């Protein structure tokens, strides 16, 4: 009996690039993790250090001792090519500054990333580096696998920079990044806890079959793993149910939550969170109606691993000194600036 499903890796599905801090921890603020299917290729090559070879000859010229130490993996070299000069992905992988502009109004801002500025001369373009994950299709007998239909590739620590000639001509502007990758134990289970082999993160690269890939996403997202909270109190007015958790729940409007185990069984089920009045309460609409007085109850509220799209994040004001990891004058005690805001104010 076969010990594995024999699947081929075909085509790239998505890539997720996440900023790291000085210790290699994954960052998860508004502008720290970027997911896209807009890449042309991700290639990597294991790079080995050749072992020493020792040969000694006798007085008659014949070999009397010979030994070859094993070659050892020291890192991987990587290359990523993207389809367009994507300023947000470029800033994540190659440092520099993101250029943002308000395309809305002063009262209702709609900030968009419209450009990128390279690192300063003398700066380290890669800063603290990034973690890179990539998904590809798993193909069996010419079809996508029925179970575990993706390969999940993990590169827990990479330092990249723009490479090659940048030519503006009658053709595609090359957008290629190259660098190297190492292991990073701080990657652990990843942003959304979907990587099931955290110990393997100490290695420069790993892959495993997966049931999930971040399809249909393009842009910045904040990610979370499974959130499971204990319910301490329930109430309902009409169709609006209010759940109180015993500790702060970190849930947000729009999350799909599974309520189970309540004595008030009419409130059990899968619902979309409508409001979050406090850090320990949230509401949703039930399919039935009726009044349930505020009462103690016990059960669970569970939200599966998911992503939360970043629709906007505040641009920095104008300044003459930007504090960016990799900058020759970088000061880790000061706030980090990744963004320059346009000096042009929209019409009020």
């Amino acid at each position: 009996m076969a010990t594995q499903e024999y699947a081929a890796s075909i085509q790239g599905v998505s890539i997720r690039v996440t900023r790291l801090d000085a210790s290699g921890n994954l960052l998860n603020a508004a502008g720290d993790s970027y997911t896209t299917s807009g890449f042309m290729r991700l290639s990597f090559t294991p790079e080995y250090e050749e072992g020493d070879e020792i040969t000694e000859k006798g007085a008659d010229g014949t070999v009397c001792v010979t030994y070859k130490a094993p070659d050892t993996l020291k890192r991987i070299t990587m290359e990523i090519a993207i389809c367009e000069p994507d300023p947000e992905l470029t800033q994540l992988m190659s440092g520099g500054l993101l250029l943002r502009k308000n395309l809305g109004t002063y009262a209702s801002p709609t900030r968009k990333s419209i450009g990128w500025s390279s690192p300063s001369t003398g700066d380290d373009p890669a800063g603290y580096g990034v973690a890179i994950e990539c998904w590809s299709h798993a193909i069996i007998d010419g079809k996508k696998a029925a179970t575990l239909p993706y390969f999940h590739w993990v590169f827990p620590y990479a330092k990249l920079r723009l490479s090659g000639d940048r030519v503006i001509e009658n053709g595609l502007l090359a957008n290629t990044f190259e660098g190297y990758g190492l292991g990073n134990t701080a990657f652990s289970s990843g942003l959304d806890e979907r990587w099931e082999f955290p110990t393997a993160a100490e290695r420069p690269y790993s892959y495993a079959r997966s049931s999930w890939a971040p399809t249909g996403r393009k842009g910045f997202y904040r990610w979370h793993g499974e959130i499971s909270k204990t319910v301490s109190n329930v109430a309902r007015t009409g169709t609006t149910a209010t759940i109180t958790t015993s500790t702060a729940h970190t849930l947000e409007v729009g999350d799909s939550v599974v309520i189970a185990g309540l004595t008030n069984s009419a409130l059990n089920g899968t619902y979309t969170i409508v409001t979050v009045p406090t850090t320990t309460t949230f509401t949703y609409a039930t399919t039935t109606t009726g009044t349930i007085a505020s009462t103690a109850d016990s059960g669970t509220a569970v939200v599966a691993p998911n992503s939360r799209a970043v629709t906007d994040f505040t641009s920095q004001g104008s300044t003459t000194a930007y504090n960016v990891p990799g900058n020759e004058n970088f000061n880790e005690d000061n706030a980090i600036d990744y963004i320059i805001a346009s000096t042009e104010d929209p019409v009020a």
Side-chain angles (χ1 to χ4, degrees):
M1 181 178 178
T3 59
Q4 63 168 309
E5 268 197 324
Y6 293 94
S9 172
I10 302 292
Q11 298 179 327
V13 176
S14 300
I15 189 172
R16 178 166 66 186
V17 179
T18 304
R19 201 186 312 272
L20 302 176
D21 68 10
S23 300
N25 296 303
L26 298 163
L27 299 178
N28 200 20
D32 286 332
S33 186
Y34 194 81
T35 303
T36 182
S37 59
F39 69 105
M40 295 187 291
R41 66 180 178 274
L42 184 156
S43 61
F44 62 98
T45 304
E47 186 174 332
Y48 287 85
E49 181 70 21
E50 291 189 6
D52 293 336
E53 186 168 355
I54 300 170
T55 301
E56 295 293 343
K57 295 181 179 180
D60 61 356
T62 61
V63 174
C64 59
V65 176
T66 183
Y67 174 74
K68 171 67 166 65
D71 298 342
T72 55
L73 179 66
K74 58 182 179 180
R75 58 177 169 258
I76 60 172
T77 55
M78 300 185 68
E79 181 184 271
I80 296 176
I82 61 177
C83 297
E84 58 191 45
D86 186 319
E88 295 174 339
L89 187 54
T90 297
Q91 194 279 326
L92 263 180
M93 292 196 292
S94 252
L97 296 169
L98 189 61
L99 309 183
R100 301 264 290 172
K101 181 182 177 75
N102 183 2
L103 300 181
T105 65
Y106 186 83
S108 299
T110 302
R111 300 181 183 92
K112 300 290 184 181
S113 302
I114 62 167
W116 174 75
S117 181
S118 74
S120 297
T121 303
D123 288 353
D124 172 7
Y128 291 144
V130 294
I132 298 172
E133 299 166 87
C134 187
W135 287 262
S136 58
H137 292 297
I139 304 298
I140 298 177
D141 296 330
K143 303 180 293 296
K144 294 179 183 178
T147 59
L148 305 178
Y150 303 102
F151 280 97
H152 183 186
W153 303 81
V154 172
F155 307 90
Y157 176 88
K159 297 195 77 171
L160 304 169
R161 59 175 175 80
L162 277 168
S163 66
D165 294 332
R166 312 285 289 167
V167 181
I168 301 171
E169 59 181 346
N170 183 24
L172 180 69
L173 175 70
N175 297 283
T176 305
F177 305 82
E178 65 178 16
Y180 66 90
L182 300 168
N184 175 21
T185 57
F187 180 88
S188 189
S189 299
L191 280 176
D192 49 8
E193 300 174 3
R194 293 182 188 270
W195 178 244
E196 301 175 39
F197 311 96
T199 302
E202 67 182 5
R203 314 298 174 93
Y205 67 98
S206 304
Y207 69 88
R209 294 277 296 281
S210 173
S211 61
W212 176 90
T215 58
R217 293 170 173 84
K218 187 171 186 180
F220 283 118
Y221 294 85
R222 292 182 300 114
W223 299 85
H224 67 78
E226 181 178 276
I227 300 172
S228 180
K229 293 296 177 179
T230 300
V231 176
S232 60
N233 199 89
V234 300
R236 183 172 68 178
T237 302
T239 60
T240 300
T242 300
I243 298 293
T244 302
T245 56
S246 57
T247 58
H249 53 62
T250 70
L251 305 180
E252 294 185 1
V253 172
D255 283 343
S256 177
V257 60
V258 178
I259 307 296
L262 296 180
T263 302
N264 290 275
S265 58
L267 303 184
N268 289 331
T270 301
Y271 303 99
T272 299
I273 295 177
V274 176
T275 65
V276 180
T278 72
T279 58
T280 57
T281 61
F282 61 88
T283 71
Y284 56 86
T286 60
T287 56
T288 57
T289 187
T291 298
I292 298 176
S294 180
T295 184
D297 207 330
S298 61
T300 58
V302 177
V303 175
N306 206 345
S307 65
R308 291 162 175 166
V310 176
T311 56
D312 194 14
F313 52 96
T314 304
S315 301
Q316 301 292 334
S318 297
T319 179
T320 56
Y322 287 87
N323 192 43
V324 179
N327 186 292
E328 58 185 0
N329 297 316
F330 173 66
N331 184 350
E332 62 181 7
D333 294 326
N334 296 333
I336 299 174
D337 301 326
Y338 296 117
I339 308 161
I340 294 180
S342 170
T343 58
E344 180 181 308
D345 290 327
V347 177

